[in-house]
Every structure is written in structure tokens, then in C-alpha cells.
Amino acid sequence: MHVDDFLWAGSEHFKKQVICQLRDKFDCGKELDSSFRYIGLNIQHEGNDIYLQQHDYTDELKQVDRAKYKNGIYPEIVGQLHWIATQSRPDLCFDVLDLSTSVQLSEAKTPSKSIYQEMIKLNAGESIPIKCFTDNKSLCQNIHSTKLISEKRLCLDLASIKESVSLGDITVTWIKTSSQISDCLTKAGADFHPLIKVLSTGKGP
């Protein structure tokens, strides 16, 4: 068996009990620590903190005319941008998604189980508490109301959310629009700084 890359992080106890034993059983080549580059990520370990950025990776990106997408260059660039968005720049997710719609991709098969089901299911029936925050006040009011909605499709969607709330799978809380940090993930031109601040500090707005 050949493993190209192996990335690990843990305590000294983990290092002795796991990593050292792996080294004894498998041939390991070059090892890097403290500060190194891994699959396009610049990783730096300082004390109890780990810093991750992709400055070198972004500097290596090519500039390409969208008209050249037919020769495979454009999809390649979009793929690289997608890697950046999913690894270190979530604020770019919407823009990358917008770009990807210009690329002709093969139709993906729909998974048999929904992503939501996979998220909430754990061993022995345990579930992950999902907290939803919305700046749509009418949505929150309707979720906690017995009033019927005339629009059939909207009524079904609300019924599904109400059921999840009643079962304790999710909670839905109203917040001010100024505190909605996820706008940059779905709206073009939305300010991404609040999201970056939360990801950097670990504290909500």
C-alpha cells in the first residue's frame, strides 16, 4: 500500500501512542512540522495555535479568458477557486458557484439519502443539534404559529420545518439582518467581513 501524504495533529501522548507506532510499521519519507505546505495549504504551528492560509496557492493561479473554457482551462481554474473557497475563503463560495454555472459539467446522480439525514444521524440514534439563524421575522413567526398558509408548497416546507423543531432536531432563531453572517455565501456583493471575523475569533456578531 502506498500513501502519498499523511497529515496529523495531536498531543505528545497521541504522538507516542499512535504516530511512533506507525513509523515503526511503515516506511516514512520526508517529514515536516511547525511550518510547511500541504496540498495547497500553508500551515504554521505556533504554541497552541495553528494558522492556515493559501497565499502561495492563490499567487500561482492563472489568469484566463472565459472564452477559453472549451479547451479545459476554465473548468480547471474554477476547480482551483473552489478549493480555495472550501478550505480558507468561505466568503468566496457564492462567487465560485456563480462562475461554475458557466462550465458544462456532467449531471451528477442524486444521492439516495439527503445530506440533512446524514448530518443528524450518529451512532446509536444520537443527533447533532442544529441551530438555524434567520433574519426573516415572518418565517420565525409562522414556524411557531398554528395559522395556515394559503400557498401549498410553502405550507409543506413550513410543515417540514415545524416537525423538525418539534422533534428537537433543529432550533430556529430570528436575528437582525446586520448579524446575518451567511449572506456572502448566497448573495453577490454581500459583505464578507462579518463571516471572516467570526471564523477568526470563534465569536458571533
Side-chain angles (χ1 to χ4, degrees):
M1 180 179 69
H2 172 74
V3 178
D4 188 29
D5 294 303
F6 184 79
L7 179 68
W8 71 273
S11 63
E12 284 297 323
H13 177 73
F14 175 80
K15 180 179 179 180
K16 293 178 180 179
Q17 297 297 319
V18 178
I19 301 302
C20 289
Q21 293 189 38
L22 287 175
R23 286 178 180 148
D24 292 338
K25 292 185 178 181
F26 299 98
D27 293 329
C28 297
K30 184 178 181 181
E31 294 188 46
L32 300 172
D33 58 16
S34 298
S35 180
F36 56 94
R37 187 175 180 181
Y38 176 74
I39 55 173
L41 304 173
N42 292 85
I43 302 173
Q44 187 170 356
H45 182 200
E46 296 182 4
N48 293 325
D49 299 322
I50 297 177
Y51 300 93
L52 183 151
Q53 46 91 352
Q54 292 182 282
H55 297 163
D56 292 339
Y57 185 79
T58 54
D59 289 342
E60 295 170 359
L61 292 181
K62 306 172 185 176
Q63 290 188 357
V64 61
D65 189 339
R66 292 182 67 162
K68 296 181 179 179
Y69 76 91
K70 289 184 179 180
N71 63 10
I73 295 179
Y74 185 66
E76 176 186 345
I77 296 298
V78 173
Q80 291 173 333
L81 291 174
H82 181 266
W83 178 245
I84 295 171
T86 56
Q87 297 301 307
S88 63
R89 292 292 304 276
D91 54 294
L92 298 179
C93 285
F94 179 84
D95 294 317
V96 174
L97 176 62
D98 188 43
L99 285 173
S100 67
T101 58
S102 301
V103 184
Q104 295 181 358
L105 299 175
S106 58
E107 185 176 356
K109 295 182 179 180
T110 303
S112 58
K113 292 185 177 180
S114 69
I115 296 176
Y116 174 74
Q117 289 175 322
E118 294 299 326
M119 286 176 61
I120 65 173
K121 289 182 65 177
L122 286 175
N123 294 332
E126 296 180 4
S127 62
I128 302 173
I130 300 176
K131 298 181 180 181
C132 303
F133 298 91
T134 177
D135 55 2
N136 189 329
K137 184 172 289 187
S138 63
L139 172 62
C140 283
Q141 291 174 342
N142 281 294
I143 289 175
H144 301 289
S145 172
T146 57
K147 184 179 178 180
L148 295 177
I149 305 297
S150 58
E151 208 282 310
K152 185 175 181 180
R153 182 171 181 177
L154 180 59
C155 183
L156 292 174
D157 290 338
L158 281 173
S160 177
I161 297 174
K162 286 182 178 181
E163 181 180 9
S164 296
V165 171
S166 64
L167 293 174
D169 291 336
I170 66 173
T171 60
V172 181
T173 305
W174 176 82
I175 58 174
K176 295 180 179 179
T177 301
S178 58
S179 300
Q180 183 56 275
I181 63 173
S182 63
D183 276 348
C184 64
L185 303 179
T186 58
K187 300 176 182 176
D191 185 12
F192 61 84
H193 291 95
L195 176 60
I196 296 298
K197 183 178 180 180
V198 170
L199 293 176
S200 300
T201 63
K203 298 179 181 179

